[in-house]
Amino acid sequence: MAFALYLGFLIITFLRPAELFPALEGYELVAIVSVLALAGACVTVVSGRGPTLGAPELFLVGLLTLWVPLSVIASLFWFGAEVYVFVLLWSTSALVFILTALYLLTVGRLRVAAGLIALLIVFTGVQGVYAYHYGDGLASRFLYYEGINLEEAALRMTPEQIEEAVAHFLETGDVVIRIRGLGFLNDPNDLAQALVAALPLLLCLRRPGRLSFNLLTVWIPVAAALYALSLTRSRGGLLALVAVMFLLGRKRIGPTLSMILSAGGLAVLLLVGFIGGRQFSMDDSSMGRAEAWYEGLNMLRSSPIWGTGYGSFADLNYLVAHNSFVHCFAEVGLVGYFIWLMLIVLTLSHLAAVARGSPETEGEQVDPTEETGAEDEVEDTVEDEGAESEEEELSRWAEASWISLAGFLVGSLFLSRTYGTMLFLLLGLGVAVVD
């Protein structure tokens, strides 16, 4: 039952029913399911059926939770509204991380949860694809018109005038339609990052000799994810995709050949207009990002320990950093940046050790024969008897999680998502694999 609450929490977090149907806003579905899932996790831990809680990443998340508000107090000399905003935004990211780390106690649970996460991301992309081709009404929420400010236009124009204006911009080529999701995926670039991160998880679901299963749960979703990725028109998403292509191929065909093929793939994708004609050039957007990175370094120099405070980057510069690393050290200083970076580095290094079958990490894994609350197990319905051992499957999931996180971080070089929900979901997934 408790694990089902976690799965429900994931579904509501991704699908955002209250955003699609405003009548549901008063019911606080996300808050109710979150509290129930957290209560279930606490009961599991207290009863002795949970994880060891010895993962250093859990400690680092706690430190980051304390340090960010301190950076606001130290830089502004008061308990400002930014602290309240951080608590609101951070609560989802921290909860996703904690619940994922606490609930995924077995390989079976890991398989179910990771597969659900990947398929929910693809489903969000498919909603965007539908909106792109047939969208009206609710479906239009999944479209982003780059080149025209629809929120500002809604204040001055009737719906008919807005429709005419969009049609005019489309004819002249001054606007680009990009798909997006809801909630924390409501930016096309965020959706692109998530779609790229979903690809290794989907491929890890593949089962040798099960053609129908692989077609329905792996290859069709992968194709849908790639098409949705192209409709996000995200340049950072394309670079993240190329990075994932390289990482997936490096062990099978060698790093050199994988790099050559990935570079060739990038050239082909650009040639066929994979991102809708948007090019990698020093346009106004690229120049603005370079200037934002420079300003981020200036902010770090002005306050190297505390930073300028959470939420201050946009107040001190006309653009956000468009780089999660720059955004982090500018706002929370070197101490906060070290905590955040160590959280990422430790997760990646531990995942790499499990993927290699390191003796150090194997000794820390939960004994698969140990009782972990059989009444809560959903994965029993999907077990494949006679398949690979749990150790081998765990190694595959570790490699897939490592590649997902690495690909996501490549996209983070072009987005300010330092405290984003998707990042901490992948980190929580990594901690669960290792613990």
Side-chain angles (χ1 to χ4, degrees):
M1 178 62 183
F3 183 54
L5 286 173
Y6 169 71
L7 299 180
F9 168 75
L10 287 178
I11 292 171
I12 289 181
T13 300
F14 276 96
L15 299 187
R16 318 295 294 191
E19 291 188 31
L20 274 179
F21 307 103
L24 297 175
E25 287 184 1
Y27 293 97
E28 300 292 345
L29 294 178
V30 175
I32 292 172
V33 176
S34 299
V35 170
L36 290 175
L38 184 59
C42 291
V43 170
T44 301
V45 172
V46 171
S47 64
R49 294 181 290 127
T52 60
L53 300 181
E57 292 89 344
L58 293 170
F59 174 72
L60 290 172
V61 167
L63 277 182
L64 190 63
T65 303
L66 294 174
W67 182 262
V68 173
L70 285 177
S71 73
V72 176
I73 298 171
S75 59
L76 301 179
F77 301 105
W78 74 302
F79 198 84
E82 288 82 358
V83 174
Y84 176 71
V85 172
F86 169 74
V87 171
L88 288 179
L89 296 177
W90 175 247
S91 59
T92 302
S93 298
L95 192 61
V96 161
F97 175 87
I98 292 171
L99 293 180
T100 302
L102 295 183
Y103 269 111
L104 305 189
L105 304 177
T106 66
V107 176
R109 285 190 175 189
L110 173 65
R111 185 192 315 125
V112 171
L116 178 63
I117 289 168
L119 292 175
L120 285 171
I121 293 171
V122 174
F123 179 72
T124 302
V126 169
Q127 288 177 296
V129 171
Y130 175 84
Y132 183 87
H133 290 288
Y134 311 106
D136 56 4
L138 289 175
S140 63
R141 295 170 180 259
F142 294 90
L143 299 179
Y144 175 78
Y145 295 89
E146 185 172 280
I148 180 172
N149 190 328
L150 292 181
E151 293 181 359
E152 182 179 339
L155 300 176
R156 299 182 287 106
M157 304 167 66
T158 65
E160 292 76 14
Q161 290 174 324
I162 294 176
E163 186 176 345
E164 292 178 1
V166 170
H168 169 73
F169 278 112
L170 288 175
E171 289 178 2
T172 59
D174 294 331
V175 67
V176 176
I177 299 180
R178 306 172 66 186
I179 68 170
R180 61 180 176 179
L182 299 176
F184 63 93
L185 299 179
N186 69 340
D187 184 282
N189 296 309
D190 288 318
L191 179 57
Q193 268 189 299
L195 288 167
V196 170
L199 293 175
L201 302 180
L202 288 171
L203 293 174
C204 199
L205 292 172
R206 186 171 59 87
R207 293 290 178 267
R210 300 186 58 179
L211 298 180
S212 298
F213 176 85
N214 293 337
L215 181 65
L216 293 175
T217 62
V218 180
W219 301 120
I220 291 179
V222 165
L226 290 174
Y227 183 58
L229 177 60
S230 71
L231 294 184
T232 64
R233 313 302 189 197
S234 174
R235 291 172 289 194
L238 176 57
L239 292 179
L241 173 63
V242 173
V244 166
M245 289 167 54
F246 165 72
L247 294 173
L248 287 172
R250 78 192 193 287
K251 289 183 67 174
R252 295 164 178 81
I253 59 177
T256 302
L257 184 56
S258 181
M259 182 177 295
I260 293 173
L261 292 178
S262 299
L266 174 61
V268 171
L269 291 174
L270 288 174
L271 188 64
V272 300
F274 186 78
I275 52 176
R278 303 181 79 214
Q279 300 298 323
F280 294 93
S281 60
M282 290 303 292
D283 54 10
D284 291 340
S285 175
S286 301
M287 292 297 295
R289 294 186 183 199
E291 292 175 4
W293 297 349
Y294 177 75
E295 288 303 320
L297 292 171
N298 287 336
M299 294 177 199
L300 177 63
R301 281 193 284 264
S302 68
S303 180
I305 303 299
W306 299 99
T308 56
Y310 171 81
S312 64
F313 201 106
D315 297 331
L316 300 175
N317 191 59
Y318 72 99
L319 279 179
V320 294
H322 284 92
N323 183 301
S324 296
F325 298 85
V326 174
H327 191 95
C328 185
F329 65 62
E331 288 195 345
V332 299
L334 291 177
V335 175
Y337 181 65
F338 176 79
I339 297 172
W340 181 79
L341 191 61
M342 281 301 299
L343 174 62
I344 294 172
V345 171
L346 279 178
T347 304
L348 287 172
S349 63
H350 289 165
L351 282 173
V354 175
R356 292 192 303 266
S358 169
E360 290 82 358
T361 55
E362 286 180 357
E364 298 171 3
Q365 295 171 16
V366 176
D367 184 354
T369 63
E370 183 179 345
E371 185 177 353
T372 56
E375 68 276 9
D376 293 338
E377 300 299 336
V378 177
E379 67 274 14
D380 290 342
T381 61
V382 292
E383 289 285 356
D384 287 335
E385 295 186 4
E388 62 189 342
S389 68
E390 285 195 344
E391 290 78 8
E392 292 172 333
E393 185 176 0
L394 183 65
S395 178
R396 286 197 304 107
W397 279 112
E399 182 178 9
S401 300
W402 190 94
I403 295 174
S404 289
L405 181 55
F408 186 88
L409 291 172
V410 171
S412 297
L413 294 173
F414 309 97
L415 282 177
S416 294
R417 297 296 182 268
T418 304
Y419 324 100
T421 300
M422 192 65 207
L423 171 61
F424 281 85
L425 175 58
L426 293 175
L427 289 171
L429 194 63
V431 173
V433 171
V434 174
D435 195 18

